[in-house]
């Protein structure tokens, strides 16, 4: 099965990998079939774990390979890294400013982006969808980069990234479906909304892979761009969301470190 996967076109590999991460999002959303509520401490710890995974993935799977690739391609490594990384952050900032969304636990008047009359459930899904855009792009870019033949881009590293992002997608699905269920929405609808937030990842993954395959010189920039976009999500959303309750901060911080360790282990072992 693994050999068959290795023989696939990089775009198809990216599609398969992001379908997997979408599936894990759906698994997290499926908790509504077993529980109506989940401890805030547990949910915060899950989000903290997700933040740790994304921080580690941003460096080990994206930024560091991007810097190495820039050097191998004769670019100025530090300049490529800064341009790409900050470009990813600016892209997410603009998207965050435009896309209507609402973070779990907040009131409707605290929604961000362009003001609309959309329902709370739709805005909650869009908040997690905003997380998943850079994640899908990162996986697509990673698999597309493998086709470049440069030693800094490995199939093991791309697979490690997909596994890591899959792991942290579980709490993201739960973070959408559980609040909706708690507010009285049916189990089925809560699940559908929760898993819907991951639907963007296969789209973003395919776009990312196609983009770097067609424009090889921008590969290092694309890897650093994906890293910057992911760090923006962590710093602007995941960490603040997970540490709103002061009593949970120590537990959440340890969960963040655990997430970082798991992703670092995956990338070093497989990459």
């Amino acid at each position: 099965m693994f050999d068959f996967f290795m023989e696939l076109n990089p775009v198809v590999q990216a599609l398969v990998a992001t379908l997997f991460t979408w599936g894990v999002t759906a698994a997290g959303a499926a908790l509504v079939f077993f529980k109506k509520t989940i401890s805030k401490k547990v949910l915060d710890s899950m989000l903290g774990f997700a933040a740790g995974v994304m921080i580690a993935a941003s460096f080990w799977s994206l930024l560091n390979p991007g810097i190495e690739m820039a050097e191998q391609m004769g670019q100025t490594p530090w300049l490529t890294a800064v341009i790409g990384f900050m470009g990813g952050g600016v892209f997410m900032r603009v998207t965050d400013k435009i896309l209507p969304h609402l973070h779990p636990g907040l009131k409707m008047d605290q929604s961000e982006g362009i003001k609309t009359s959309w329902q709370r459930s739709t805005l909650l899904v869009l908040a997690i969808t905003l997380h998943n855009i850079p994640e899908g792009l990162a996986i697509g870019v990673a698999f597309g980069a493998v086709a470049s033949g440069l030693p800094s881009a490995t199939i093991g590293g791309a697979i490690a990234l997909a596994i890591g992002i899959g792991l942290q997608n579980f709490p993201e699905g739960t973070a959408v479906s559980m609040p909706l269920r708690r507010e009285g929405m049916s189990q089925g609808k809560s699940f559908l909304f929760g898993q819907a937030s991951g639907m963007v990842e296969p789209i973003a993954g395919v776009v990312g892979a196609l983009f770097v395959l067609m424009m090889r010189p921008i590969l290092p920039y694309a890897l650093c761009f994906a890293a910057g976009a992911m760090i923006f999500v962590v710093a602007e959303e995941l960490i603040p969301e997970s540490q709103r309750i002061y009593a949970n901060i120590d537990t959440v911080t340890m969960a963040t470190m655990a997430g970082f360790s798991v992703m670092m282990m995956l990338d070093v072992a497989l990459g």
Side-chain angles (χ1 to χ4, degrees), residues 10 69 140-150 153-154 209 212-213 219 223:
M69 194 176 291
V141 168
F143 278 100
V146 175
S148 70
L150 294 170
T154 66
V212 297
L213 283 173
L219 261 175
L223 287 165

Side-chain angles (χ1 to χ4, degrees), residues 50-119:
V53 168
M54 289 183 71
I55 293 169
S58 296
F59 177 74
W60 294 98
S61 299
L62 298 168
L63 194 58
N64 192 48
I67 292 171
E68 292 179 3
M69 194 176 291
E71 190 170 8
Q72 291 160 5
M73 296 175 70
Q75 298 174 4
T76 305
W78 66 265
L79 184 60
T80 298
V82 169
I83 291 173
F85 187 80
M86 289 305 299
V90 169
F91 169 78
M92 288 306 299
R93 171 59 181 150
V94 172
T95 305
D96 186 66
K97 198 74 176 173
I98 295 173
L99 184 69
H101 61 285
L102 176 68
H103 299 297
L106 298 183
K107 298 177 181 178
M108 280 294 288
D109 60 5
Q110 293 176 294
S111 63
E112 299 178 53
I114 296 172
K115 298 304 177 184
T116 70
S117 58
W118 294 350
Q119 294 183 348

Side-chain angles (χ1 to χ4, degrees), residues 27-74:
L31 284 183
V32 293
F33 293 114
F34 306 99
K35 296 175 70 71
K36 187 171 183 177
T37 61
I38 187 169
S39 160
K40 185 72 172 106
K41 189 172 186 177
V42 171
L43 185 57
D44 286 348
S45 297
M46 291 168 71
L47 290 174
F49 181 88
V53 168
M54 289 183 71
I55 293 169
S58 296
F59 177 74
W60 294 98
S61 299
L62 298 168
L63 194 58
N64 192 48
I67 292 171
E68 292 179 3
M69 194 176 291
E71 190 170 8
Q72 291 160 5
M73 296 175 70

Side-chain angles (χ1 to χ4, degrees), residues 5-255:
F5 178 78
M6 296 285 285
E7 293 172 2
L8 295 174
N9 180 279
V11 176
V12 180
Q13 289 176 336
L15 176 61
V16 172
T18 46
L19 286 173
F20 160 74
T21 59
W22 178 16
V24 181
T25 304
L31 284 183
V32 293
F33 293 114
F34 306 99
K35 296 175 70 71
K36 187 171 183 177
T37 61
I38 187 169
S39 160
K40 185 72 172 106
K41 189 172 186 177
V42 171
L43 185 57
D44 286 348
S45 297
M46 291 168 71
L47 290 174
F49 181 88
V53 168
M54 289 183 71
I55 293 169
S58 296
F59 177 74
W60 294 98
S61 299
L62 298 168
L63 194 58
N64 192 48
I67 292 171
E68 292 179 3
M69 194 176 291
E71 190 170 8
Q72 291 160 5
M73 296 175 70
Q75 298 174 4
T76 305
W78 66 265
L79 184 60
T80 298
V82 169
I83 291 173
F85 187 80
M86 289 305 299
V90 169
F91 169 78
M92 288 306 299
R93 171 59 181 150
V94 172
T95 305
D96 186 66
K97 198 74 176 173
I98 295 173
L99 184 69
H101 61 285
L102 176 68
H103 299 297
L106 298 183
K107 298 177 181 178
M108 280 294 288
D109 60 5
Q110 293 176 294
S111 63
E112 299 178 53
I114 296 172
K115 298 304 177 184
T116 70
S117 58
W118 294 350
Q119 294 183 348
R120 178 181 178 85
S121 56
T122 303
L123 294 175
L124 284 169
V125 171
L126 288 175
I128 305 300
T129 300
L130 190 63
H131 294 181
N132 292 340
I133 292 172
E135 294 166 12
L137 281 173
I139 293 173
V141 168
F143 278 100
V146 175
S148 70
L150 294 170
S152 54
T154 66
I155 188 68
I159 291 172
L161 177 63
I163 294 173
I165 287 178
L167 288 174
Q168 65 90 43
N169 272 4
F170 189 90
E172 290 188 353
T174 305
V176 175
S177 61
M178 281 296 180
L180 294 177
R181 178 63 179 145
R182 191 165 54 244
E183 291 173 10
M185 187 175 284
S186 69
Q187 290 177 327
K189 282 189 175 180
S190 298
F191 167 74
L192 287 175
F193 276 110
Q195 63 81 37
S197 62
M199 291 176 64
V200 71
E201 287 198 7
I203 299 169
V206 169
V207 169
L210 283 171
F211 192 64
V212 297
L213 283 173
M214 291 187 294
M215 302 183 69
R216 187 174 181 272
I218 66 150
L219 261 175
Y221 292 98
L223 287 165
C224 297
F225 179 96
M230 287 176 63
I231 289 295
F232 179 93
V233 170
V234 171
E236 200 265 348
E237 298 178 19
L238 284 183
I239 290 179
E241 281 180 26
S242 66
Q243 297 198 352
R244 282 203 187 104
I245 300 178
Y246 183 78
N248 295 344
I249 286 179
D250 287 343
T251 302
V252 172
T253 300
M254 292 308 298

